[in-house]
Amino acid sequence: NALDYRDKDSTVACCKEYYRALEALEERFSIIQSFDVEQLTKQDKQIIKLLKKTYKGLGTDYSISLLPNPSSYFYRQALAIDKKYSNSPAGLGTTLFLIAYGFDISERFDSACYYYDTAIRCFDNDSSDIINNGRDRIHDGKYRARFGRRKNSFNSKHDESGI
């Protein structure tokens, strides 16, 4: 199980587990994609959900390792699934937030701000932690883009957790 390895700080082993799952899931997904969304069975929907989780897991592992390019790739794969198969604005917003974070750690602040702002719009509740964190990151990203350094207020519990 990939998460067991993540808990042990073994990114390579964790990614290996995800890649093993990814191979089987993508094979099945290549068939599922030819169906209309209305034709999907419960099992098809479960495969799609697992594939999205696997993409997000790989994105998170690469993000934790401060590798924004592969992280962004896998988060974008999850985003494509969200856009086609999900009816959850919060799920879409969470994926957009993760993409924004990848741009943030690679110091592409304008792109990060754009994705944080887009993510925020997906949530109904104005007091959500993810919304507040996104707003803080937008503000700080604009500051860093202008002055080239971080404000002290940027360090938050979300930075430590890799979100």
Side-chain angles (χ1 to χ4, degrees):
N1 187 327
L3 296 179
D4 291 337
Y5 289 110
R6 187 182 297 154
D7 290 342
K8 296 174 185 168
D9 291 331
S10 180
T11 301
V12 173
C14 185
C15 286
K16 265 174 116 172
E17 289 293 314
Y18 276 125
Y19 279 115
R20 283 203 336 237
L22 191 61
E23 188 175 343
L25 292 168
E26 282 182 331
E27 183 178 324
R28 178 67 181 134
F29 185 65
S30 67
I31 297 166
I32 293 171
Q33 284 181 303
S34 64
F35 304 148
D36 288 332
V37 175
E38 298 83 32
Q39 294 176 311
L40 296 176
T41 66
K42 187 176 180 177
Q43 184 180 9
D44 293 337
K45 291 175 184 176
Q46 189 63 29
I47 296 288
I48 292 167
K49 185 177 178 179
L50 288 171
L51 181 60
K52 184 174 78 169
K53 278 181 133 179
T54 301
Y55 284 142
K56 283 185 173 182
L58 280 162
T60 298
D61 284 334
Y62 284 118
S63 180
I64 289 168
S65 299
L66 298 177
L67 296 167
N69 289 337
S71 174
S72 177
Y73 170 80
F74 287 110
Y75 286 145
R76 287 176 189 274
Q77 295 295 96
L79 180 63
I81 290 173
D82 272 333
K83 285 181 174 180
K84 184 170 182 179
Y85 298 102
S86 178
N87 58 1
S88 167
L92 180 65
T94 301
T95 304
L96 288 164
F97 187 90
L98 294 169
I99 291 170
Y101 183 76
F103 282 118
D104 206 347
I105 64 173
S106 62
E107 298 184 356
R108 294 172 58 195
F109 305 123
D110 288 341
S111 295
C113 288
Y114 169 80
Y115 279 96
Y116 284 132
D117 186 53
T118 306
I120 287 169
R121 292 183 217 181
C122 293
F123 294 91
D124 293 333
N125 183 351
D126 230 21
S127 64
S128 156
D129 283 343
I130 200 165
I131 290 174
N132 292 330
N133 190 282
R135 286 183 180 139
D136 289 346
R137 288 180 181 274
I138 289 169
H139 177 72
D140 193 64
K142 288 177 181 175
Y143 180 90
R144 287 185 284 153
R146 184 169 177 199
F147 298 108
R149 63 183 186 277
R150 252 177 223 236
K151 291 175 71 175
N152 289 337
S153 64
F154 185 73
N155 296 324
S156 71
K157 65 181 177 186
H158 297 287
D159 287 310
E160 296 168 5
S161 66
I163 295 177

